[in-house]
Amino acid sequence: MLLPRDWNPDCAALPLAALCMGVIRLAHAITINMPEQSITAAVEDDVLFPARYSCNGTPTIQWTFLSPRERRGVAVWKPGAFSNVSAEYEHRLLTHANGSITLLRVRLADSGYYVVSVSESSGSSKEAAIVLTVTEHNAMELERL
């Protein structure tokens, strides 16, 4: 193999290192830990939807509500940068830097699937879901009846 006279083997290590770092960065995928798959709450309860994510950089987090009747955005935010809560949930929703949300004073109509999507500027994303069932009475009230 013939190499140019001005070829420097030390310079070859730099692109190789950059390539390896890129591969390592790509191998570290987004993860979402959702310890609960379903939550049951009574009307007017406050509900924490627990979620924790890990990824490279600062992601965009989006929560969406799904039911047999409709699909609607709940909130979109970038931790430390911006938060956009939809009008339907304004004054009833708290966003948390770890990806969780707290829905205040739940209603029967809040029953359904809540999907969290974590996406990076590179275009990669991951989703996880939790089911909320809202009842008219809590378990302690039902025991007294």
Side-chain angles (χ1 to χ4, degrees), residues 29-81:
I30 297 170
T31 59
I32 301 174
N33 180 8
M34 185 89 71
E36 311 271 341
Q37 292 184 351
S38 65
I39 297 173
T40 301
V43 169
E44 292 295 315
D45 281 353
D46 296 343
V47 176
L48 171 68
F49 293 83
R52 291 189 181 275
Y53 69 87
S54 66
C55 65
N56 293 320
T58 304
T60 299
I61 301 167
Q62 179 173 359
W63 280 85
T64 304
F65 170 79
L66 302 169
S67 78
R69 296 176 310 253
E70 67 182 309
R71 173 190 177 106
R72 65 178 175 249
V74 175
V76 178
W77 76 96
K78 190 176 279 265

mmCIF file of all heavy atoms in Angstrom, residues 29-81:
data_model
loop_
_atom_site.group_PDB
_atom_site.id
_atom_site.type_symbol
_atom_site.label_atom_id
_atom_site.label_comp_id
_atom_site.label_asym_id
_atom_site.label_seq_id
_atom_site.Cartn_x
_atom_site.Cartn_y
_atom_site.Cartn_z
ATOM 1 N N ALA A 29 -29.280 4.698 23.496
ATOM 2 C CA ALA A 29 -30.625 5.049 23.041
ATOM 3 C C ALA A 29 -31.402 5.735 24.151
ATOM 4 O O ALA A 29 -31.016 5.730 25.314
ATOM 5 C CB ALA A 29 -31.350 3.786 22.612
ATOM 6 N N ILE A 30 -32.518 6.302 23.768
ATOM 7 C CA ILE A 30 -33.441 6.877 24.741
ATOM 8 C C ILE A 30 -34.089 5.733 25.514
ATOM 9 O O ILE A 30 -34.483 4.726 24.937
ATOM 10 C CB ILE A 30 -34.538 7.684 24.026
ATOM 11 C CG1 ILE A 30 -33.932 8.857 23.275
ATOM 12 C CG2 ILE A 30 -35.593 8.161 25.017
ATOM 13 C CD1 ILE A 30 -34.920 9.560 22.359
ATOM 14 N N THR A 31 -34.192 5.908 26.816
ATOM 15 C CA THR A 31 -34.932 4.946 27.631
ATOM 16 C C THR A 31 -35.987 5.698 28.431
ATOM 17 O O THR A 31 -35.773 6.838 28.835
ATOM 18 C CB THR A 31 -34.026 4.164 28.606
ATOM 19 O OG1 THR A 31 -33.367 5.081 29.467
ATOM 20 C CG2 THR A 31 -32.987 3.341 27.857
ATOM 21 N N ILE A 32 -37.122 5.062 28.613
ATOM 22 C CA ILE A 32 -38.196 5.599 29.445
ATOM 23 C C ILE A 32 -38.560 4.533 30.460
ATOM 24 O O ILE A 32 -38.847 3.394 30.083
ATOM 25 C CB ILE A 32 -39.443 5.967 28.625
ATOM 26 C CG1 ILE A 32 -39.113 7.000 27.557
ATOM 27 C CG2 ILE A 32 -40.548 6.482 29.556
ATOM 28 C CD1 ILE A 32 -40.275 7.305 26.616
ATOM 29 N N ASN A 33 -38.533 4.901 31.723
ATOM 30 C CA ASN A 33 -38.937 3.984 32.792
ATOM 31 C C ASN A 33 -40.301 4.433 33.292
ATOM 32 O O ASN A 33 -40.439 5.523 33.830
ATOM 33 C CB ASN A 33 -37.911 4.001 33.920
ATOM 34 C CG ASN A 33 -38.292 3.074 35.052
ATOM 35 O OD1 ASN A 33 -39.237 2.307 34.954
ATOM 36 N ND2 ASN A 33 -37.551 3.149 36.142
ATOM 37 N N MET A 34 -41.292 3.599 33.077
ATOM 38 C CA MET A 34 -42.658 3.891 33.509
ATOM 39 C C MET A 34 -43.048 2.796 34.499
ATOM 40 O O MET A 34 -43.460 1.706 34.104
ATOM 41 C CB MET A 34 -43.588 3.893 32.293
ATOM 42 C CG MET A 34 -44.992 4.298 32.571
ATOM 43 S SD MET A 34 -45.289 6.048 32.449
ATOM 44 C CE MET A 34 -45.176 6.331 30.714
ATOM 45 N N PRO A 35 -42.872 3.044 35.822
ATOM 46 C CA PRO A 35 -43.095 1.986 36.817
ATOM 47 C C PRO A 35 -44.542 1.510 36.918
ATOM 48 O O PRO A 35 -44.794 0.410 37.377
ATOM 49 C CB PRO A 35 -42.634 2.622 38.129
ATOM 50 C CG PRO A 35 -42.672 4.087 37.898
ATOM 51 C CD PRO A 35 -42.457 4.297 36.428
ATOM 52 N N GLU A 36 -45.490 2.323 36.505
ATOM 53 C CA GLU A 36 -46.907 1.949 36.546
ATOM 54 C C GLU A 36 -47.413 1.755 35.124
ATOM 55 O O GLU A 36 -47.051 2.514 34.230
ATOM 56 C CB GLU A 36 -47.734 3.057 37.201
ATOM 57 C CG GLU A 36 -47.210 3.566 38.511
ATOM 58 C CD GLU A 36 -47.745 2.793 39.692
ATOM 59 O OE1 GLU A 36 -48.765 2.111 39.541
ATOM 60 O OE2 GLU A 36 -47.125 2.871 40.747
ATOM 61 N N GLN A 37 -48.262 0.754 34.918
ATOM 62 C CA GLN A 37 -48.906 0.590 33.616
ATOM 63 C C GLN A 37 -50.346 1.072 33.644
ATOM 64 O O GLN A 37 -50.929 1.351 32.607
ATOM 65 C CB GLN A 37 -48.835 -0.862 33.159
ATOM 66 C CG GLN A 37 -47.427 -1.283 32.850
ATOM 67 C CD GLN A 37 -47.381 -2.694 32.298
ATOM 68 O OE1 GLN A 37 -48.374 -3.415 32.293
ATOM 69 N NE2 GLN A 37 -46.224 -3.097 31.830
ATOM 70 N N SER A 38 -50.908 1.136 34.860
ATOM 71 C CA SER A 38 -52.264 1.645 34.993
ATOM 72 C C SER A 38 -52.436 2.297 36.359
ATOM 73 O O SER A 38 -51.771 1.934 37.322
ATOM 74 C CB SER A 38 -53.292 0.526 34.805
ATOM 75 O OG SER A 38 -53.177 -0.419 35.842
ATOM 76 N N ILE A 39 -53.326 3.273 36.393
ATOM 77 C CA ILE A 39 -53.624 3.999 37.626
ATOM 78 C C ILE A 39 -55.139 4.108 37.726
ATOM 79 O O ILE A 39 -55.815 4.400 36.738
ATOM 80 C CB ILE A 39 -53.016 5.425 37.597
ATOM 81 C CG1 ILE A 39 -51.494 5.369 37.509
ATOM 82 C CG2 ILE A 39 -53.457 6.227 38.812
ATOM 83 C CD1 ILE A 39 -50.838 6.730 37.299
ATOM 84 N N THR A 40 -55.673 3.887 38.930
ATOM 85 C CA THR A 40 -57.092 4.109 39.193
ATOM 86 C C THR A 40 -57.194 5.224 40.219
ATOM 87 O O THR A 40 -56.500 5.200 41.237
ATOM 88 C CB THR A 40 -57.766 2.832 39.725
ATOM 89 O OG1 THR A 40 -57.614 1.790 38.748
ATOM 90 C CG2 THR A 40 -59.241 3.054 39.997
ATOM 91 N N ALA A 41 -58.041 6.201 39.937
ATOM 92 C CA ALA A 41 -58.205 7.343 40.833
ATOM 93 C C ALA A 41 -59.663 7.730 40.889
ATOM 94 O O ALA A 41 -60.445 7.416 39.980
ATOM 95 C CB ALA A 41 -57.375 8.523 40.330
ATOM 96 N N ALA A 42 -60.043 8.424 41.959
ATOM 97 C CA ALA A 42 -61.409 8.925 42.103
ATOM 98 C C ALA A 42 -61.492 10.342 41.542
ATOM 99 O O ALA A 42 -60.488 11.058 41.470
ATOM 100 C CB ALA A 42 -61.811 8.916 43.572
ATOM 101 N N VAL A 43 -62.693 10.728 41.148
ATOM 102 C CA VAL A 43 -62.935 12.087 40.673
ATOM 103 C C VAL A 43 -62.394 13.073 41.713
ATOM 104 O O VAL A 43 -62.541 12.859 42.916
ATOM 105 C CB VAL A 43 -64.449 12.309 40.449
ATOM 106 C CG1 VAL A 43 -64.768 13.769 40.209
ATOM 107 C CG2 VAL A 43 -64.942 11.464 39.293
ATOM 108 N N GLU A 44 -61.746 14.116 41.243
ATOM 109 C CA GLU A 44 -61.153 15.187 42.038
ATOM 110 C C GLU A 44 -59.803 14.819 42.671
ATOM 111 O O GLU A 44 -59.196 15.664 43.325
ATOM 112 C CB GLU A 44 -62.108 15.712 43.125
ATOM 113 C CG GLU A 44 -63.301 16.451 42.567
ATOM 114 C CD GLU A 44 -62.929 17.738 41.834
ATOM 115 O OE1 GLU A 44 -62.109 18.516 42.338
ATOM 116 O OE2 GLU A 44 -63.478 17.952 40.732
ATOM 117 N N ASP A 45 -59.328 13.579 42.479
ATOM 118 C CA ASP A 45 -57.986 13.220 42.964
ATOM 119 C C ASP A 45 -56.933 13.910 42.102
ATOM 120 O O ASP A 45 -57.185 14.251 40.942
ATOM 121 C CB ASP A 45 -57.744 11.705 42.877
ATOM 122 C CG ASP A 45 -58.388 10.924 44.015
ATOM 123 O OD1 ASP A 45 -58.916 11.554 44.946
ATOM 124 O OD2 ASP A 45 -58.372 9.683 43.944
ATOM 125 N N ASP A 46 -55.731 14.083 42.664
ATOM 126 C CA ASP A 46 -54.559 14.497 41.908
ATOM 127 C C ASP A 46 -53.777 13.246 41.561
ATOM 128 O O ASP A 46 -53.568 12.387 42.428
ATOM 129 C CB ASP A 46 -53.681 15.446 42.732
ATOM 130 C CG ASP A 46 -54.381 16.753 43.065
ATOM 131 O OD1 ASP A 46 -55.386 17.077 42.413
ATOM 132 O OD2 ASP A 46 -53.916 17.448 43.989
ATOM 133 N N VAL A 47 -53.356 13.102 40.304
ATOM 134 C CA VAL A 47 -52.710 11.872 39.843
ATOM 135 C C VAL A 47 -51.334 12.176 39.272
ATOM 136 O O VAL A 47 -51.195 13.010 38.376
ATOM 137 C CB VAL A 47 -53.572 11.165 38.768
ATOM 138 C CG1 VAL A 47 -52.865 9.939 38.226
ATOM 139 C CG2 VAL A 47 -54.928 10.795 39.336
ATOM 140 N N LEU A 48 -50.330 11.464 39.795
ATOM 141 C CA LEU A 48 -48.976 11.544 39.254
ATOM 142 C C LEU A 48 -48.796 10.439 38.228
ATOM 143 O O LEU A 48 -49.044 9.270 38.523
ATOM 144 C CB LEU A 48 -47.935 11.386 40.369
ATOM 145 C CG LEU A 48 -46.480 11.235 39.913
ATOM 146 C CD1 LEU A 48 -45.971 12.535 39.286
ATOM 147 C CD2 LEU A 48 -45.592 10.821 41.067
ATOM 148 N N PHE A 49 -48.405 10.810 37.010
ATOM 149 C CA PHE A 49 -48.046 9.849 35.968
ATOM 150 C C PHE A 49 -46.525 9.746 36.015
ATOM 151 O O PHE A 49 -45.839 10.592 35.438
ATOM 152 C CB PHE A 49 -48.499 10.332 34.587
ATOM 153 C CG PHE A 49 -49.987 10.390 34.419
ATOM 154 C CD1 PHE A 49 -50.706 11.490 34.859
ATOM 155 C CD2 PHE A 49 -50.670 9.353 33.813
ATOM 156 C CE1 PHE A 49 -52.079 11.564 34.692
ATOM 157 C CE2 PHE A 49 -52.048 9.416 33.639
ATOM 158 C CZ PHE A 49 -52.748 10.517 34.084
ATOM 159 N N PRO A 50 -45.994 8.732 36.696
ATOM 160 C CA PRO A 50 -44.541 8.668 36.889
ATOM 161 C C PRO A 50 -43.811 8.190 35.633
ATOM 162 O O PRO A 50 -44.173 7.187 35.030
ATOM 163 C CB PRO A 50 -44.390 7.657 38.028
ATOM 164 C CG PRO A 50 -45.580 6.753 37.888
ATOM 165 C CD PRO A 50 -46.686 7.626 37.339
ATOM 166 N N ALA A 51 -42.822 8.945 35.238
ATOM 167 C CA ALA A 51 -41.989 8.569 34.088
ATOM 168 C C ALA A 51 -40.596 9.140 34.323
ATOM 169 O O ALA A 51 -40.452 10.245 34.841
ATOM 170 C CB ALA A 51 -42.567 9.128 32.796
ATOM 171 N N ARG A 52 -39.596 8.375 33.967
ATOM 172 C CA ARG A 52 -38.217 8.865 34.015
ATOM 173 C C ARG A 52 -37.571 8.493 32.699
ATOM 174 O O ARG A 52 -37.750 7.392 32.209
ATOM 175 C CB ARG A 52 -37.439 8.227 35.156
ATOM 176 C CG ARG A 52 -37.890 8.660 36.526
ATOM 177 C CD ARG A 52 -36.920 8.136 37.584
ATOM 178 N NE ARG A 52 -37.337 8.509 38.902
ATOM 179 C CZ ARG A 52 -37.046 9.683 39.459
ATOM 180 N NH1 ARG A 52 -36.352 10.561 38.800
ATOM 181 N NH2 ARG A 52 -37.462 9.963 40.668
ATOM 182 N N TYR A 53 -36.812 9.413 32.143
ATOM 183 C CA TYR A 53 -36.156 9.157 30.872
ATOM 184 C C TYR A 53 -34.662 9.332 31.032
ATOM 185 O O TYR A 53 -34.186 9.977 31.970
ATOM 186 C CB TYR A 53 -36.678 10.108 29.782
ATOM 187 C CG TYR A 53 -36.239 11.536 30.010
ATOM 188 C CD1 TYR A 53 -35.012 11.993 29.519
ATOM 189 C CD2 TYR A 53 -37.013 12.410 30.746
ATOM 190 C CE1 TYR A 53 -34.590 13.288 29.761
ATOM 191 C CE2 TYR A 53 -36.608 13.703 30.980
ATOM 192 C CZ TYR A 53 -35.389 14.129 30.490
ATOM 193 O OH TYR A 53 -34.971 15.411 30.733
ATOM 194 N N SER A 54 -33.928 8.770 30.094
ATOM 195 C CA SER A 54 -32.501 9.064 29.959
ATOM 196 C C SER A 54 -32.203 9.130 28.469
ATOM 197 O O SER A 54 -32.789 8.394 27.673
ATOM 198 C CB SER A 54 -31.636 8.015 30.650
ATOM 199 O OG SER A 54 -31.751 6.777 30.007
ATOM 200 N N CYS A 55 -31.344 10.066 28.119
ATOM 201 C CA CYS A 55 -30.975 10.253 26.721
ATOM 202 C C CYS A 55 -29.782 11.198 26.657
ATOM 203 O O CYS A 55 -29.333 11.703 27.681
ATOM 204 C CB CYS A 55 -32.142 10.812 25.909
ATOM 205 S SG CYS A 55 -32.644 12.461 26.397
ATOM 206 N N ASN A 56 -29.305 11.426 25.451
ATOM 207 C CA ASN A 56 -28.235 12.398 25.242
ATOM 208 C C ASN A 56 -28.854 13.776 25.104
ATOM 209 O O ASN A 56 -29.846 13.940 24.409
ATOM 210 C CB ASN A 56 -27.447 12.077 23.962
ATOM 211 C CG ASN A 56 -26.684 10.786 24.093
ATOM 212 O OD1 ASN A 56 -26.124 10.490 25.140
ATOM 213 N ND2 ASN A 56 -26.666 9.998 23.039
ATOM 214 N N GLY A 57 -28.280 14.763 25.734
ATOM 215 C CA GLY A 57 -28.764 16.127 25.562
ATOM 216 C C GLY A 57 -30.085 16.385 26.243
ATOM 217 O O GLY A 57 -30.534 15.627 27.095
ATOM 218 N N THR A 58 -30.718 17.479 25.859
ATOM 219 C CA THR A 58 -32.008 17.877 26.419
ATOM 220 C C THR A 58 -33.102 17.511 25.422
ATOM 221 O O THR A 58 -33.139 18.053 24.323
ATOM 222 C CB THR A 58 -32.032 19.396 26.694
ATOM 223 O OG1 THR A 58 -30.939 19.715 27.553
ATOM 224 C CG2 THR A 58 -33.331 19.803 27.361
ATOM 225 N N PRO A 59 -33.991 16.616 25.813
ATOM 226 C CA PRO A 59 -35.019 16.159 24.873
ATOM 227 C C PRO A 59 -36.246 17.065 24.866
ATOM 228 O O PRO A 59 -36.387 17.969 25.684
ATOM 229 C CB PRO A 59 -35.399 14.798 25.448
ATOM 230 C CG PRO A 59 -35.320 15.047 26.925
ATOM 231 C CD PRO A 59 -34.103 15.939 27.088
ATOM 232 N N THR A 60 -37.139 16.773 23.955
ATOM 233 C CA THR A 60 -38.484 17.336 23.982
ATOM 234 C C THR A 60 -39.393 16.228 24.488
ATOM 235 O O THR A 60 -39.330 15.093 24.006
ATOM 236 C CB THR A 60 -38.924 17.801 22.577
ATOM 237 O OG1 THR A 60 -38.014 18.812 22.137
ATOM 238 C CG2 THR A 60 -40.342 18.341 22.599
ATOM 239 N N ILE A 61 -40.200 16.563 25.475
ATOM 240 C CA ILE A 61 -41.117 15.596 26.085
ATOM 241 C C ILE A 61 -42.539 15.985 25.696
ATOM 242 O O ILE A 61 -42.911 17.153 25.791
ATOM 243 C CB ILE A 61 -40.969 15.582 27.616
ATOM 244 C CG1 ILE A 61 -39.533 15.220 27.998
ATOM 245 C CG2 ILE A 61 -41.970 14.623 28.253
ATOM 246 C CD1 ILE A 61 -39.186 15.475 29.432
ATOM 247 N N GLN A 62 -43.301 15.003 25.246
ATOM 248 C CA GLN A 62 -44.676 15.268 24.838
ATOM 249 C C GLN A 62 -45.597 14.208 25.433
ATOM 250 O O GLN A 62 -45.324 13.016 25.346
ATOM 251 C CB GLN A 62 -44.791 15.256 23.318
ATOM 252 C CG GLN A 62 -46.194 15.511 22.837
ATOM 253 C CD GLN A 62 -46.270 15.674 21.326
ATOM 254 O OE1 GLN A 62 -45.271 15.617 20.626
ATOM 255 N NE2 GLN A 62 -47.463 15.883 20.832
ATOM 256 N N TRP A 63 -46.693 14.657 26.038
ATOM 257 C CA TRP A 63 -47.728 13.760 26.530
ATOM 258 C C TRP A 63 -48.979 13.949 25.673
ATOM 259 O O TRP A 63 -49.353 15.080 25.341
ATOM 260 C CB TRP A 63 -48.069 14.062 27.989
ATOM 261 C CG TRP A 63 -47.088 13.486 28.971
ATOM 262 C CD1 TRP A 63 -45.920 14.054 29.385
ATOM 263 C CD2 TRP A 63 -47.193 12.244 29.654
ATOM 264 N NE1 TRP A 63 -45.290 13.235 30.285
ATOM 265 C CE2 TRP A 63 -46.052 12.114 30.474
ATOM 266 C CE3 TRP A 63 -48.137 11.222 29.667
ATOM 267 C CZ2 TRP A 63 -45.840 11.012 31.294
ATOM 268 C CZ3 TRP A 63 -47.925 10.117 30.481
ATOM 269 C CH2 TRP A 63 -46.782 10.016 31.286
ATOM 270 N N THR A 64 -49.613 12.827 25.321
ATOM 271 C CA THR A 64 -50.816 12.828 24.496
ATOM 272 C C THR A 64 -51.871 11.964 25.171
ATOM 273 O O THR A 64 -51.550 10.913 25.741
ATOM 274 C CB THR A 64 -50.514 12.269 23.090
ATOM 275 O OG1 THR A 64 -49.444 13.036 22.522
ATOM 276 C CG2 THR A 64 -51.716 12.334 22.178
ATOM 277 N N PHE A 65 -53.123 12.382 25.100
ATOM 278 C CA PHE A 65 -54.258 11.624 25.634
ATOM 279 C C PHE A 65 -54.960 10.909 24.493
ATOM 280 O O PHE A 65 -55.214 11.511 23.437
ATOM 281 C CB PHE A 65 -55.241 12.576 26.327
ATOM 282 C CG PHE A 65 -56.545 11.930 26.695
ATOM 283 C CD1 PHE A 65 -56.644 11.129 27.821
ATOM 284 C CD2 PHE A 65 -57.680 12.120 25.923
ATOM 285 C CE1 PHE A 65 -57.849 10.526 28.167
ATOM 286 C CE2 PHE A 65 -58.888 11.529 26.258
ATOM 287 C CZ PHE A 65 -58.972 10.730 27.384
ATOM 288 N N LEU A 66 -55.285 9.631 24.705
ATOM 289 C CA LEU A 66 -56.001 8.842 23.699
ATOM 290 C C LEU A 66 -57.177 8.136 24.361
ATOM 291 O O LEU A 66 -57.035 7.548 25.437
ATOM 292 C CB LEU A 66 -55.092 7.773 23.094
ATOM 293 C CG LEU A 66 -53.808 8.230 22.419
ATOM 294 C CD1 LEU A 66 -52.906 7.041 22.132
ATOM 295 C CD2 LEU A 66 -54.140 8.938 21.129
ATOM 296 N N SER A 67 -58.331 8.183 23.711
ATOM 297 C CA SER A 67 -59.501 7.424 24.151
ATOM 298 C C SER A 67 -60.217 6.948 22.902
ATOM 299 O O SER A 67 -59.876 7.384 21.794
ATOM 300 C CB SER A 67 -60.414 8.291 25.024
ATOM 301 O OG SER A 67 -61.176 9.171 24.224
ATOM 302 N N PRO A 68 -61.225 6.099 23.032
ATOM 303 C CA PRO A 68 -61.958 5.673 21.835
ATOM 304 C C PRO A 68 -62.620 6.845 21.106
ATOM 305 O O PRO A 68 -62.874 6.772 19.912
ATOM 306 C CB PRO A 68 -63.017 4.717 22.394
ATOM 307 C CG PRO A 68 -62.443 4.216 23.675
ATOM 308 C CD PRO A 68 -61.642 5.354 24.228
ATOM 309 N N ARG A 69 -62.878 7.930 21.806
ATOM 310 C CA ARG A 69 -63.565 9.079 21.210
ATOM 311 C C ARG A 69 -62.636 10.145 20.660
ATOM 312 O O ARG A 69 -63.023 10.907 19.780
ATOM 313 C CB ARG A 69 -64.477 9.730 22.249
ATOM 314 C CG ARG A 69 -65.612 8.857 22.727
ATOM 315 C CD ARG A 69 -66.384 9.578 23.814
ATOM 316 N NE ARG A 69 -65.473 10.088 24.832
ATOM 317 C CZ ARG A 69 -65.330 9.578 26.044
ATOM 318 N NH1 ARG A 69 -66.062 8.567 26.407
ATOM 319 N NH2 ARG A 69 -64.484 10.079 26.894
ATOM 320 N N GLU A 70 -61.433 10.259 21.211
ATOM 321 C CA GLU A 70 -60.590 11.375 20.795
ATOM 322 C C GLU A 70 -59.108 11.164 21.081
ATOM 323 O O GLU A 70 -58.728 10.275 21.827
ATOM 324 C CB GLU A 70 -61.050 12.673 21.470
ATOM 325 C CG GLU A 70 -60.826 12.685 22.967
ATOM 326 C CD GLU A 70 -61.327 13.955 23.618
ATOM 327 O OE1 GLU A 70 -60.959 15.045 23.141
ATOM 328 O OE2 GLU A 70 -62.068 13.839 24.597
ATOM 329 N N ARG A 71 -58.328 12.051 20.471
ATOM 330 C CA ARG A 71 -56.887 12.136 20.696
ATOM 331 C C ARG A 71 -56.583 13.620 20.864
ATOM 332 O O ARG A 71 -57.008 14.435 20.041
ATOM 333 C CB ARG A 71 -56.136 11.584 19.488
ATOM 334 C CG ARG A 71 -54.647 11.781 19.558
ATOM 335 C CD ARG A 71 -54.000 11.439 18.221
ATOM 336 N NE ARG A 71 -52.589 11.702 18.280
ATOM 337 C CZ ARG A 71 -51.655 10.763 18.351
ATOM 338 N NH1 ARG A 71 -51.986 9.498 18.324
ATOM 339 N NH2 ARG A 71 -50.386 11.099 18.434
ATOM 340 N N ARG A 72 -55.872 13.972 21.935
ATOM 341 C CA ARG A 72 -55.543 15.383 22.129
ATOM 342 C C ARG A 72 -54.187 15.525 22.814
ATOM 343 O O ARG A 72 -53.792 14.698 23.625
ATOM 344 C CB ARG A 72 -56.629 16.111 22.905
ATOM 345 C CG ARG A 72 -56.805 15.648 24.327
ATOM 346 C CD ARG A 72 -57.885 16.458 25.054
ATOM 347 N NE ARG A 72 -58.096 15.910 26.368
ATOM 348 C CZ ARG A 72 -59.178 15.281 26.767
ATOM 349 N NH1 ARG A 72 -60.188 15.121 25.953
ATOM 350 N NH2 ARG A 72 -59.264 14.813 27.984
ATOM 351 N N GLY A 73 -53.519 16.594 22.460
ATOM 352 C CA GLY A 73 -52.252 16.900 23.095
ATOM 353 C C GLY A 73 -52.485 17.358 24.526
ATOM 354 O O GLY A 73 -53.446 18.069 24.809
ATOM 355 N N VAL A 74 -51.611 16.942 25.414
ATOM 356 C CA VAL A 74 -51.696 17.329 26.815
ATOM 357 C C VAL A 74 -50.664 18.424 27.096
ATOM 358 O O VAL A 74 -51.001 19.510 27.544
ATOM 359 C CB VAL A 74 -51.474 16.121 27.752
ATOM 360 C CG1 VAL A 74 -51.438 16.545 29.208
ATOM 361 C CG2 VAL A 74 -52.552 15.060 27.514
ATOM 362 N N ALA A 75 -49.397 18.113 26.810
ATOM 363 C CA ALA A 75 -48.320 19.075 27.069
ATOM 364 C C ALA A 75 -47.095 18.702 26.259
ATOM 365 O O ALA A 75 -46.873 17.538 25.939
ATOM 366 C CB ALA A 75 -47.970 19.100 28.550
ATOM 367 N N VAL A 76 -46.302 19.719 25.945
ATOM 368 C CA VAL A 76 -45.005 19.550 25.287
ATOM 369 C C VAL A 76 -44.040 20.465 26.015
ATOM 370 O O VAL A 76 -44.374 21.626 26.272
ATOM 371 C CB VAL A 76 -45.045 19.953 23.797
ATOM 372 C CG1 VAL A 76 -43.676 19.821 23.165
ATOM 373 C CG2 VAL A 76 -46.066 19.137 23.042
ATOM 374 N N TRP A 77 -42.874 19.944 26.373
ATOM 375 C CA TRP A 77 -41.886 20.811 27.006
ATOM 376 C C TRP A 77 -40.477 20.300 26.815
ATOM 377 O O TRP A 77 -40.258 19.140 26.506
ATOM 378 C CB TRP A 77 -42.187 21.031 28.483
ATOM 379 C CG TRP A 77 -41.872 19.904 29.414
ATOM 380 C CD1 TRP A 77 -40.733 19.748 30.153
ATOM 381 C CD2 TRP A 77 -42.709 18.786 29.740
ATOM 382 N NE1 TRP A 77 -40.821 18.605 30.923
ATOM 383 C CE2 TRP A 77 -42.010 17.998 30.688
ATOM 384 C CE3 TRP A 77 -43.967 18.377 29.324
ATOM 385 C CZ2 TRP A 77 -42.533 16.827 31.223
ATOM 386 C CZ3 TRP A 77 -44.483 17.200 29.851
ATOM 387 C CH2 TRP A 77 -43.775 16.450 30.782
ATOM 388 N N LYS A 78 -39.547 21.218 26.963
ATOM 389 C CA LYS A 78 -38.123 20.926 26.958
ATOM 390 C C LYS A 78 -37.627 21.359 28.330
ATOM 391 O O LYS A 78 -37.704 22.539 28.659
ATOM 392 C CB LYS A 78 -37.416 21.692 25.847
ATOM 393 C CG LYS A 78 -35.981 21.261 25.610
ATOM 394 C CD LYS A 78 -35.371 21.994 24.433
ATOM 395 C CE LYS A 78 -35.772 21.376 23.135
ATOM 396 N NZ LYS A 78 -34.851 20.411 22.589
ATOM 397 N N PRO A 79 -37.192 20.396 29.173
ATOM 398 C CA PRO A 79 -36.784 20.743 30.530
ATOM 399 C C PRO A 79 -35.791 21.908 30.561
ATOM 400 O O PRO A 79 -34.813 21.929 29.834
ATOM 401 C CB PRO A 79 -36.136 19.452 31.049
ATOM 402 C CG PRO A 79 -36.826 18.373 30.265
ATOM 403 C CD PRO A 79 -37.039 18.972 28.901
ATOM 404 N N GLY A 80 -36.108 22.902 31.375
ATOM 405 C CA GLY A 80 -35.256 24.065 31.516
ATOM 406 C C GLY A 80 -35.405 25.098 30.415
ATOM 407 O O GLY A 80 -34.760 26.139 30.444
ATOM 408 N N ALA A 81 -36.262 24.826 29.419
ATOM 409 C CA ALA A 81 -36.378 25.755 28.296
ATOM 410 C C ALA A 81 -37.798 26.295 28.141
ATOM 411 O O ALA A 81 -38.027 27.486 28.255
ATOM 412 C CB ALA A 81 -35.918 25.095 27.005
#
